[in-house]
RNA sequence: GGGUGGUUAGCUCAGCUGGUUAGAGCACCUGCUUUACACGCAGGGGGUCAUAGGUUCGAAUCCUAUACCGCCUACCA
């Protein structure tokens, strides 16, 4: 931190976010402003929150996502929609169970020791604690969630939705139980769906192992990346088209070490070009081998225990961990001459998305959902544009996955979650029910003898119902009727498959219609080095820490400003200074305007157009241009662009120009009434426009402003959203003002470069080309006199250059600042030289263009006209500057 | 291996349908206790727009390759 920064902290005039934010949020809660009314006549606008996991508190990714949702909700609330933002949390089966199990181990216990009921009770307590923390964080961020509708995937209502859906799919034949190869995490000791497996590239080896042909001295060599699986080999396979190996098909080889006899089969899966052209077949530990095994009726030998150690089928290797076994096995193979060679090999190993251990393909009984039929309407929805992705390119990712969808393994060998609602009789007959079936439900069987499936359902099996289960489906339809489908789902790209796609399928299958019309995919939050923020890397930033230091408004606006539309934001702690400074700026300018209002009563809602000067009209024009642009950007989900537009308007147009322009020449003079009205009106619009982005400072200031003028105030939350009005936009007038700004800037530049003390006033001579512009300057000099420290202004079409003066030549005006005794000739000369060189370069470019006959022949007329005008302008300015330069040299 | 996003100032990014003196914020340099704001004001320096071709009167912008960075996806042992 620099010295300057240290000093700033002590300054007392700055905006104090913390106290204001806490107070305001509590008021919003007390008045129940966030609560949605399902009987309202207003048009609905609803969003369901992507439920955060109860395993950990929120990070900046959540802060970004929830800011986006709150911006959309608050804007639409102001636009008169009945808004419902449904908050909630997700029980996160595997992740939560893993954490609680670790706690138990640390205490010297295990889940099996304390038993299922105790374990669930304990996990529940822990999850509830975290859930509360998460909801508290959302509040601190200013989220205007409808807390009366807070949902949780393990709530009774949501649980009954899960049961309902399970039964529905089972009856339809879409849910089935199968003996299949699944992804098995040896650490979490559960199956995983394909989407819960992450692929990580790693350096591996390809081991070449030879298998001896029975009754011959010949060998067949296979290549493998997982040699330990050979303990479960039940065949070798070759391509049926491969002439090299045709003669061996049907023969037998001896599996090294275990000395088991296994046969050689021909299967078209084998690629003769790869490796040796011979593949070892381990049906119980490889999905492809499993298929080959089924085709050739091979034995399926499971060699692993659920913890990844070798079981009794591994003979003497029994009890070894998988990679220890690999080591010993390779050693023995080498000793016995079976290891032909070893090559380096890049592979991408599947790892568990929760614990990052390498996943084993594992043969077990699991429940699956058949997906192909469910996918159809979900594909159509995106293809037809009924559901739109923002940015649009994500729809390709979605469609690619949907069109290649595979069955979904939904059973998990866990205790934490929705227990599979299936009961088995001794003979294997199944009954679907959450609770023990009644005698009527299982005719012919004694309910007491039925045993419930031990496993629980994948967490996503409850979260895919989120857009309607949170609204009371299937038991209560009032909210469903009022708020389904929701409008937009805002989330990160990493759960397009896990969650978004499945919600779309669920929406069509269970409720009969799409769950949302828009999917907004925001970027992934990264640290200052571009590394994804994560708890395990420890590079995350706690939003609460940022809120404490800078305020929630600053957190929100900083995040949105620094998240490029459709790209990943790179954030560091000082990213948030941008927002804090901006909030303070708004606070300061509001303070100023209110101070100047005093006991006057400007109209905040209407403009009296009879009492406007050019600057007033200009800021109104800029305001409405801004409104036009911001509204468009938000509608297109370009929130960062919207925020930047607001930022630039407020800081540059309003604070740096307009407010400075209307400041009277002397401190004790009053602001012209018409301008003060405009300032108050524009400020009010700014506050409303900014409210979705920075809810607290705008609420606070809005109330102050209204109290001051009207003696009372309502909340800004339901204030009328500022819509653009094109009749305020005046391009010509904006151009005129840009000319005035150019004069001001030129004078400032001259003074600054010549090191004129800011306190020193001077006269100003301007020779204008156009009489009207001269009038404009003359009539409004009072407004910008203080901006350029001008004493007397001399303006006209024939104004002469004072002898000793610095000059600046801009389009349409020659500017002279008489500064006898203050001008350093060398500095002024260098300055003019630089300017002239600059202009000459530009002139050169334009001249070349205009000398090209093809350009003149082909370019549209307005372009050539523009270029000609430019050329003239450059020439004129260069001439004048040269003259000025000569004159200086003559001094 | 397929798909997809990126490459513009020291850093993070704008620049949407080709014609701009290529912009902003941060950082940097200079000056400033100027009537709200030093979390500020004014001014300044800094870019052969990844590379190579092409289309065009004209390319940061369109097309084609190449390189690098990133993400997603994939059962080639």
């Amino acid at each position: 931190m620099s010295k300057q920064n240290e000093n700033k902290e002590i300054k007392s005039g700055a905006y104090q976010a913390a106290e204001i934010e806490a107070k305001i949020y509590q008021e919003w809660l007390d008045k129940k402003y966030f609560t949605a009314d399902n009987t309202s006549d207003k048009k609905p606008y609803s969003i369901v929150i992507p439920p955060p996991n109860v395993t950990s508190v929120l990070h900046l990714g959540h802060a970004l996502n929830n800011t986006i949702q709150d911006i959309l909700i608050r804007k639409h609330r102001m636009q008169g929609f009945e808004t419902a933002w449904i908050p909630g949390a997700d029980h996160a089966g595997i992740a939560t169970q893993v954490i609680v199990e670790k706690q138990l181990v640390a205490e010297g216990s295990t889940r099996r020791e304390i038993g299922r009921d105790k374990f669930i009770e304990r996990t529940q307590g822990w999850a509830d604690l975290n859930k509360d923390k998460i909801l508290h964080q959302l509040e601190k961020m200013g989220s205007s969630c409808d807390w009366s509708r807070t949902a949780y995937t393990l709530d009774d209502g949501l649980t009954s939705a899960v049961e309902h859906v399970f039964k529905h799919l089972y009856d339809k034949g879409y849910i089935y139980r199968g003996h299949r190869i699944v992804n098995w995490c040896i650490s979490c000791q559960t199956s995983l769906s394909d989407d819960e497996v992450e692929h990580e590239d790693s350096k591996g080896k390809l081991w070449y192992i030879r298998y001896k042909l029975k009754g011959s001295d010949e060998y067949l060599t296979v290549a493998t990346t997982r040699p330990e699986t050979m303990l479960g080999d039940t065949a070798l396979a070759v391509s049926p088209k491969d002439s090299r190996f045709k003669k061996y098909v049907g023969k037998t080889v001896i599996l090294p070490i275990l000395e088991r006899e296994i046969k050689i089969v021909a299967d078209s899966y084998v690629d003769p070009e790869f490796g040796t052209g011979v593949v070892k077949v381990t049906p119980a530990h490889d999905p492809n081998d499993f298929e080959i095994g089924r085709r050739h009726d091979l034995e399926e030998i499971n060699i692993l225990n659920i913890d990844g150690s070798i079981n009794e089928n591994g003979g003497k290797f029994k009890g070894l961990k998988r990679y220890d076994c690999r080591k010993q096995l390779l050693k023995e193979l080498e000793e016995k001459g079976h290891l032909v060679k070893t090559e380096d090999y890049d592979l991408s190993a599947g790892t568990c998305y929760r614990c990052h251990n390498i996943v084993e393909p594992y043969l077990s009984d699991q429940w699956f959902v058949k997906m192909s039929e469910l996918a159809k309407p979900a594909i159509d929805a995106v293809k037809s544009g009924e559901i739109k992705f923002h940015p649009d390119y994500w729809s390709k990712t979605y469609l690619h996955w949907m069109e290649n969808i595979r069955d979904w393994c939904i059973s998990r060998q866990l205790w934490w979650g929705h227990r599979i609602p299936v009961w088995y009789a001794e003979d294997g007959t199944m009954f679907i029910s959450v609770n023990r079936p009644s005698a009527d439900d299982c005719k012919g069987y004694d309910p007491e003898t039925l045993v419930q499936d031990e496993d629980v359902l994948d967490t996503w099996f409850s979260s895919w119902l989120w857009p309607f289960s949170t609204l009371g489906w299937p038991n209560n339809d009032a909210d469903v009727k009022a708020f389904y489908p929701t409008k937009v789902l805002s989330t990160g790209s990493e759960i397009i498959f896990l969650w978004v796609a499945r919600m779309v399928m669920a929406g069509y299958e269970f409720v009969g219609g799409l769950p949302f019309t828009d999917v907004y995919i925001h970027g992934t939050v990264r640290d200052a080095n571009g590394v994804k923020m994560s708890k395990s890397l420890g590079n995350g930033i706690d939003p609460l820490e940022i809120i404490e230091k800078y305020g929630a408004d600053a957190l929100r606006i900083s995040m949105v400003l620094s998240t490029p539309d459709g790209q990943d934001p790179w954030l560091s702690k000082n990213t948030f200074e941008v927002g804090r400074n901006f909030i303070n700026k708004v606070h300061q300018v509001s303070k100023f305007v209110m101070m100047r209002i005093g006991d006057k009563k400007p109209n905040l809602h209407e403009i009296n157009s009879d009492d406007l000067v050019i600057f007033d009209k200009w800021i109104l024009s800029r305001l409405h241009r801004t409104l036009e642009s911001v509204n468009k950007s938000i509608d297109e989900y370009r929130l960062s662009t919207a925020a930047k537009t607001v930022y630039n308007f407020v800081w540059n147009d309003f604070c740096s120009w307009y407010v400075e322009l209307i400041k009277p020449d002397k401190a004790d003079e009053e602001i012209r009434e018409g301008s003060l009205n405009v300032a108050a009106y524009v400020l009010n619009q700014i506050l409303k426009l900014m409210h979705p982005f920075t809810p607290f400072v705008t609420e606070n200031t809005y109330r102050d402003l209204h109290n001051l003028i009207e003696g009372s105030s309502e909340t800004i939350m339901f204030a009328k959203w500022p819509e653009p009005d094109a009749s305020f936009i005046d391009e010509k007038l904006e151009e005129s003002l840009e000319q005035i700004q150019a004069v001001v800037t030129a004078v400032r530049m001259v003074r600054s470069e010549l090191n004129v003390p800011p306190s020193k006033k001077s006269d100003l001579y301007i020779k204008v080309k156009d009489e009207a512009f001269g009038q404009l300057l003359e009539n409004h000099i009072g407004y910008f006199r203080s901006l350029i420290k001008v004493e007397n202004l001399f303006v006209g079409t024939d104004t002469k250059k004072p002898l000793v003066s610095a000059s600046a030549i801009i389009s349409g005006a020659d500017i002279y600042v008489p500064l006898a005794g203050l001008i350093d000739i060398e500095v002024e000369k260098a300055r003019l030289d630089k300017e002239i060189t600059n202009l000459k370069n530009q002139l050169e470019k334009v001249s070349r263009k205009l000398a090209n006959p093809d350009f003149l022949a082909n370019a549209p007329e307005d372009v050539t006209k523009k270029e000609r005008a430019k050329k003239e302008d450059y020439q004129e300015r260069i001439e004048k500057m040269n003259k000025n330069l000569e004159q200086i040299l003559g001094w």
Side-chain angles (χ1 to χ4, degrees):
Chain A
M1 195 185 277
S2 72
K3 245 188 211 157
Q4 252 185 349
N5 282 332
E6 284 174 55
N7 292 336
K8 293 171 198 168
E9 313 278 342
I10 330 165
K11 261 296 212 218
S12 58
Y15 177 66
Q16 302 298 324
E19 28 191 302
I20 290 169
E21 292 181 352
K23 194 187 94 199
I24 287 178
Y25 198 85
Q26 192 53 49
E27 278 182 51
W28 285 336
L29 287 181
D30 292 344
K31 301 219 164 128
K32 302 201 182 333
Y33 286 153
F34 306 155
T35 310
D37 175 5
N38 60 20
T39 65
S40 169
D41 294 335
K42 295 178 183 175
K43 276 197 285 178
Y45 186 94
S46 54
I47 294 179
V48 288
I49 204 169
N53 288 345
V54 291
T55 46
S56 67
V57 290
L58 306 187
H59 54 252
L60 283 184
H62 295 105
L64 173 62
N65 191 206
N66 288 300
T67 299
I68 290 165
Q69 293 170 66
D70 200 37
I71 288 170
L72 296 171
I73 283 285
R74 284 183 184 272
K75 185 219 175 204
H76 286 88
R77 191 183 286 123
M78 290 172 76
Q79 282 183 306
F81 287 84
E82 185 63 36
T83 53
W85 183 13
I86 314 293
D90 175 316
H91 67 278
I94 300 177
T96 310
Q97 172 151 343
V98 166
I99 290 171
V100 176
E101 283 200 75
K102 271 189 193 152
Q103 292 174 353
L104 286 172
V105 169
E107 292 164 19
S109 177
T110 66
R111 72 170 154 124
R112 297 198 192 278
E113 207 174 296
I114 66 172
R116 189 162 190 149
D117 291 344
K118 271 260 158 54
F119 179 78
I120 289 174
E121 200 181 302
R122 175 171 177 150
T123 309
Q124 198 164 349
W126 186 82
D128 284 349
L129 225 64
N130 266 0
K131 202 170 69 185
D132 290 347
K133 271 192 217 161
I134 288 168
L135 300 178
H136 174 70
Q137 279 181 308
L138 286 172
E139 293 184 353
K140 292 295 272 185
M141 290 174 201
S143 313
S144 58
C145 303
D146 182 348
W147 300 111
S148 72
R149 288 179 163 82
T150 305
Y152 181 45
T153 42
L154 291 180
D155 284 345
D156 290 346
L158 279 78
T159 300
S160 94
V162 166
E163 177 201 5
H164 190 94
V165 160
F166 191 96
K167 197 166 165 47
H168 170 105
L169 292 175
Y170 182 83
D171 290 345
K172 228 172 154 174
Y174 286 3
I175 281 188
Y176 65 93
R177 196 167 136 96
H179 191 62
R180 295 288 177 82
I181 296 271
V182 293
N183 307 294
W184 185 265
C185 177
I186 60 160
S187 171
C188 302
Q189 298 189 6
T190 178
S191 57
L192 301 170
S193 71
D194 295 334
D195 307 286
E196 289 169 322
V197 175
E198 290 176 353
H199 291 269
E200 289 171 14
D201 289 338
S202 61
K203 299 262 179 242
K205 302 257 188 241
L206 200 54
W207 286 279
Y208 289 79
I209 301 166
R210 60 180 197 172
Y211 290 44
K212 189 172 183 296
L213 260 147
K214 187 185 174 188
S216 156
D217 287 338
E218 283 184 87
Y219 288 90
L220 285 182
T221 302
V222 303
T224 180
T225 55
R226 295 186 299 148
E228 67 281 6
T229 61
M230 70 182 289
L231 299 173
D233 281 358
T234 52
L236 292 188
V238 297
S239 166
K241 288 181 205 145
D242 196 332
S243 53
R244 291 175 297 171
F245 301 116
K246 228 170 201 141
K247 56 184 172 183
Y248 301 120
V249 175
K251 296 207 166 145
T252 304
V253 292
I254 312 292
L255 179 65
I257 298 173
L258 288 190
E259 308 282 321
R260 182 160 65 230
E261 291 186 11
I262 59 178
K263 57 181 181 172
I264 299 165
V265 300
D267 194 283
S268 56
Y269 163 75
V270 181
D271 174 1
E273 305 291 319
F274 187 86
T276 60
V278 187
V279 179
K280 60 190 273 309
V281 184
T282 322
H285 293 285
D286 183 283
N288 295 311
D289 293 5
F290 178 77
E291 296 300 324
I292 297 176
R294 286 279 156 112
R295 284 196 286 271
H296 299 276
D297 202 23
L298 299 175
E299 201 186 340
E300 293 158 0
I301 302 179
N302 177 9
I303 60 158
L304 290 177
N305 294 312
I306 58 170
D307 65 355
S309 63
I310 305 298
N311 67 18
E312 62 283 359
N313 290 327
K316 63 181 174 190
F317 297 100
K318 181 186 170 190
L320 286 178
K321 287 184 188 163
R322 54 184 174 173
Y323 298 130
D324 293 340
C325 169
R326 176 183 293 181
K327 246 198 232 159
Q328 289 215 15
L329 193 65
L330 284 168
K331 198 173 146 217
E332 201 163 319
L333 285 169
E334 187 159 23
E335 283 165 6
K336 294 192 170 158
H338 285 286
L339 188 61
V340 179
K341 61 172 175 176
T342 307
E343 278 176 2
D344 287 333
Y345 191 71
D346 293 335
L347 46 87
S348 84
T351 61
C352 171
Y353 81 137
R354 285 301 168 204
C355 69
H356 295 281
N357 277 293
I358 290 181
V359 162
E360 288 293 332
Y362 196 71
L363 193 55
S364 62
D365 286 318
Q366 303 288 347
W367 288 93
F368 295 88
V369 180
K370 210 158 98 183
M371 301 304 280
S372 52
E373 286 304 310
L374 296 178
K376 281 179 185 162
I379 290 171
D380 291 344
V382 170
K383 278 193 172 162
S384 70
E386 207 184 345
I387 294 177
K388 285 196 183 65
F389 277 82
H390 308 275
D392 175 58
Y393 52 75
W394 289 110
S395 54
K396 291 183 205 161
T397 306
Y398 168 96
L399 285 172
H400 181 261
W401 184 78
M402 272 293 193
E403 283 165 353
N404 297 285
I405 200 161
R406 296 193 288 167
D407 287 359
W408 175 16
C409 174
I410 54 167
S411 44
R412 296 289 178 275
Q413 287 63 54
L414 304 171
W415 286 352
W416 179 240
H418 298 101
R419 191 157 174 179
I420 291 178
V422 175
W423 298 76
Y424 303 96
E426 267 178 42
D427 64 2
T429 308
M430 291 187 278
F431 303 94
I432 310 296
S433 172
V434 169
N435 300 312
R436 184 174 292 279
S438 64
D440 278 350
D441 290 337
C442 57
K443 285 201 180 79
Y445 297 89
D446 175 4
E448 291 309 312
T449 63
L450 301 181
V451 179
Q452 186 171 11
D453 198 299
E454 284 295 315
D455 293 344
V456 300
L457 290 162
D458 181 4
T459 309
W460 299 105
F461 195 83
S462 47
S463 26
W464 74 326
L465 314 177
W466 191 253
F468 45 88
S469 64
T470 53
L471 296 175
W473 186 92
N475 304 316
N476 299 305
D477 66 352
D479 276 4
V480 179
K481 275 188 180 148
F483 300 118
Y484 191 91
T486 67
K487 176 62 188 170
V488 53
L489 182 86
S490 171
T491 189
S493 61
E494 64 273 13
I495 53 174
I496 290 180
F497 311 137
L498 281 170
W499 195 46
V500 179
R502 286 177 184 152
M503 279 191 286
V504 177
M505 291 188 274
Y508 281 100
E509 178 66 20
F510 307 123
V511 193
L514 77 188
F516 30 72
T517 56
D518 294 82
V519 181
Y520 177 67
I521 302 292
H522 66 253
T524 305
V525 173
R526 297 170 182 282
D527 68 13
N529 301 312
V531 180
K532 190 170 164 176
M533 281 190 191
S534 77
K535 224 169 88 175
S536 51
L537 284 173
N539 63 346
I541 299 176
D542 180 359
L544 289 186
E545 192 189 315
I546 301 297
I547 291 172
E548 254 170 60
K549 192 163 173 202
Y550 300 110
D553 284 335
L555 169 75
R556 295 166 59 117
I557 192 75
S558 302
M559 296 224 63
V560 176
L561 281 170
S562 27
T563 302
D565 297 322
Q567 275 173 251
D568 294 349
W570 293 26
L571 304 175
S572 63
K573 284 187 185 170
N574 57 8
T575 301
F576 301 96
E577 286 178 9
V578 181
R580 181 202 53 187
N581 296 354
F582 184 45
I583 304 299
N584 184 53
K585 189 75 178 174
V586 171
H587 170 73
Q588 295 298 343
V589 80
S590 306
K591 209 165 78 181
F592 175 78
V593 172
M594 286 190 273
M595 206 172 73
R596 290 313 190 104
I597 289 171
D599 52 10
K600 298 189 194 65
K601 304 288 171 212
N603 189 334
L604 290 173
H605 312 285
E606 260 175 68
I607 290 296
N608 175 4
S609 49
D610 299 337
D611 193 19
L612 303 179
V613 295
I614 182 169
F615 305 109
D616 304 328
K617 290 180 189 159
W618 171 77
I619 196 68
L620 291 168
S621 181
R622 295 293 311 147
L623 169 70
H624 283 277
R625 216 182 261 286
T626 302
L627 295 182
E628 207 172 68
S629 159
V630 170
N631 275 286
K632 184 164 176 277
S633 297
I634 297 179
D635 288 345
E636 292 170 353
Y637 296 95
R638 291 157 59 104
L639 298 187
S640 188
T641 302
K644 277 178 190 157
T645 308
V646 175
Y647 180 98
N648 287 332
F649 172 72
V650 172
W651 202 304
N652 299 331
D653 292 337
F654 189 64
C655 294
S656 293
W657 283 105
Y658 184 68
V659 169
E660 292 303 325
L661 278 166
I662 64 170
K663 269 185 190 173
D665 206 15
K666 297 201 178 66
D668 54 357
E669 282 172 20
E670 293 198 340
I671 290 177
R672 207 184 63 87
E673 196 184 320
S675 296
L676 186 67
N677 281 337
V678 171
Y681 169 85
V682 174
L683 176 61
N684 191 41
Q685 296 290 87
I686 285 173
L687 294 173
K688 291 197 284 179
L689 185 62
M690 283 182 62
H691 179 254
F693 300 91
T694 57
F696 294 110
V697 69
T698 51
E699 172 77 295
N700 190 53
T701 313
Y702 181 89
R703 287 195 204 163
D704 285 349
L705 182 65
H706 283 254
N707 274 327
L708 178 69
I709 296 170
E710 293 162 357
S712 68
S713 72
E714 297 293 319
T715 176
I716 195 173
M717 280 183 51
F718 298 99
K720 192 172 165 295
W721 175 254
E723 302 285 352
D725 177 348
S727 69
F728 281 101
I729 297 177
D730 184 339
E731 205 161 331
K732 278 257 163 58
L733 187 139
E734 286 190 31
E735 278 170 22
S736 298
L737 209 108
E738 276 162 26
Q739 273 192 294
I740 295 179
Q741 287 177 325
V743 170
V744 170
T745 305
V747 175
R748 281 170 167 173
M749 185 191 70
V750 167
R751 292 176 55 103
S752 174
E753 298 237 321
L754 292 176
N755 297 314
V756 178
S759 51
K760 166 90 183 161
K761 287 202 171 185
S762 63
D763 290 345
L764 178 59
Y765 291 76
I766 302 176
K767 180 180 175 186
V768 291
K769 216 181 197 173
D770 175 41
E771 181 70 39
F773 183 49
Q775 280 298 318
L776 189 68
L777 288 175
E778 207 153 20
N779 293 343
H780 296 89
I781 178 64
Y783 282 86
F784 59 94
R785 186 190 295 281
S786 61
L787 270 58
I788 49 181
K789 312 287 175 200
V790 60
E791 193 79 61
N792 300 299
L793 175 72
F794 304 94
V795 56
T797 48
D798 52 0
T799 307
K800 298 267 185 307
K801 177 183 191 297
L803 222 85
V804 184
S805 59
S807 62
I809 312 294
I810 61 171
S811 306
D814 308 351
I815 296 164
Y816 301 107
V817 188
L819 289 163
L822 279 170
I823 301 177
D824 181 327
I825 294 180
E826 284 311 309
V827 174
E828 177 68 354
K829 183 181 165 294
R831 208 175 61 75
L832 290 177
D833 267 338
K834 193 189 76 188
E835 274 294 294
I836 291 168
T837 315
N838 243 335
L839 286 171
K840 275 187 175 162
N841 287 339
Q842 296 306 328
L843 178 64
E844 159 83 23
K845 263 197 220 168
V846 181
S847 303
R848 217 181 308 141
K849 234 183 214 181
L850 287 167
N852 180 354
D854 290 330
F855 171 72
L856 297 174
N858 291 308
E861 207 187 301
D862 57 318
V863 173
T864 50
K865 220 167 123 188
K866 228 166 85 187
E867 294 298 312
R868 281 207 188 87
K870 261 199 246 171
K871 187 180 172 182
E872 266 175 51
D873 184 49
Y874 293 149
Q875 274 172 334
E876 210 180 302
R877 284 161 71 187
I878 290 169
E879 257 170 59
K880 287 178 176 169
M881 288 192 144
N882 272 327
K883 243 174 154 174
N884 289 336
L885 187 58
E886 277 167 36
Q887 200 228 340
I888 285 179
L889 294 174
W891 288 354

